[in-house]
Amino acid sequence: MLHATLTAAAAGDAVSLYAGFRAHSAVEGDGEFAYISEDRWAALSAMFVKVEGVQILIVLACAAVFITWFHRVRQRAGMLAPDAFRRGPGWAIGGWFVPVACLWLPYRIANEAWTVGLRGSKGPFWPLNLWWASFVGSVLLGRYASVGFRRAEDLGPFLDAVMVGMVADALSIVAAGAAMFFATRLTRMLDDEGAPPVRR
């Protein structure tokens, strides 16, 4: 289920990335003389609104599944090493919803769980760091692009927002792939350590 929703999120980002390429290819001329017809402008604006709406639905579904998995992993890791965590298991859910602090609280919890999975060995942390860096980068750039897109009143700012959004989409695709790898590795490490599954 987790991999399926992450794959769907990556697919939504790929569609948005394609829409960005479509927007740039629709521009005629170059430099100060670049322009776009009113019909194409209206069509592109409508397309981006639809793509953004679909992405929001997919992201909400993906977030629900991922946070559920994240909370269960925190509980499993806590059974192995209760003293390894500075915060209770509830923060594995609540930490995602605290303004500003959500940019590092889940990472701290994930880092602690990953450390428990390593059990003192000098294993790599790059799967965790790659996932979190690409995820945070995509969120921040995506928010910036969304604001720029809505405020754009002419072609220049519109294309700038589209370009930033394309970078955010590319990072989000990387984040989805990295999240799959991170989740698989962490789950396997906890399984190897004999962490009991959390029953509901």
Side-chain angles (χ1 to χ4, degrees), residues 30-113:
D30 190 23
E32 297 179 358
F33 301 100
Y35 68 94
I36 188 172
S37 68
E38 291 186 7
D39 291 341
R40 283 190 173 185
W41 174 275
L44 286 174
S45 297
M47 178 180 64
F48 276 102
V49 169
K50 291 179 181 178
V51 169
E52 186 178 38
V54 172
Q55 277 187 302
I56 289 173
L57 293 176
I58 295 175
V59 166
L60 289 176
C62 185
V65 173
F66 187 87
I67 292 174
T68 298
W69 169 84
F70 193 68
H71 181 247
R72 290 179 178 175
V73 161
R74 163 61 182 88
Q75 288 181 304
R76 292 186 70 196
M79 292 176 185
L80 287 174
D83 296 334
F85 295 89
R86 297 178 59 186
R87 298 171 181 84
W91 282 99
I93 297 175
W96 295 91
F97 301 98
V98 180
V100 182
C102 64
L103 296 177
W104 73 81
L105 274 179
Y107 172 79
R108 292 293 300 272
I109 296 169
N111 187 289
E112 290 165 346

Side-chain angles (χ1 to χ4, degrees), residues 59-166:
V59 166
L60 289 176
C62 185
V65 173
F66 187 87
I67 292 174
T68 298
W69 169 84
F70 193 68
H71 181 247
R72 290 179 178 175
V73 161
R74 163 61 182 88
Q75 288 181 304
R76 292 186 70 196
M79 292 176 185
L80 287 174
D83 296 334
F85 295 89
R86 297 178 59 186
R87 298 171 181 84
W91 282 99
I93 297 175
W96 295 91
F97 301 98
V98 180
V100 182
C102 64
L103 296 177
W104 73 81
L105 274 179
Y107 172 79
R108 292 293 300 272
I109 296 169
N111 187 289
E112 290 165 346
W114 188 266
T115 301
V116 170
L118 291 175
R119 297 296 281 181
S121 65
K122 296 182 179 180
F125 276 78
W126 69 261
L128 166 64
N129 294 331
L130 175 62
W131 160 57
W132 192 251
S134 55
F135 169 71
V136 171
S138 69
V139 169
L140 295 178
L141 288 177
R143 184 65 58 86
Y144 180 82
S146 181
V147 172
F149 169 72
R150 296 182 186 283
R151 291 180 176 177
E153 297 182 354
D154 53 42
L155 186 57
F158 175 81
L159 291 178
D160 289 342
V162 168
M163 181 59 69
V164 174
M166 291 172 69

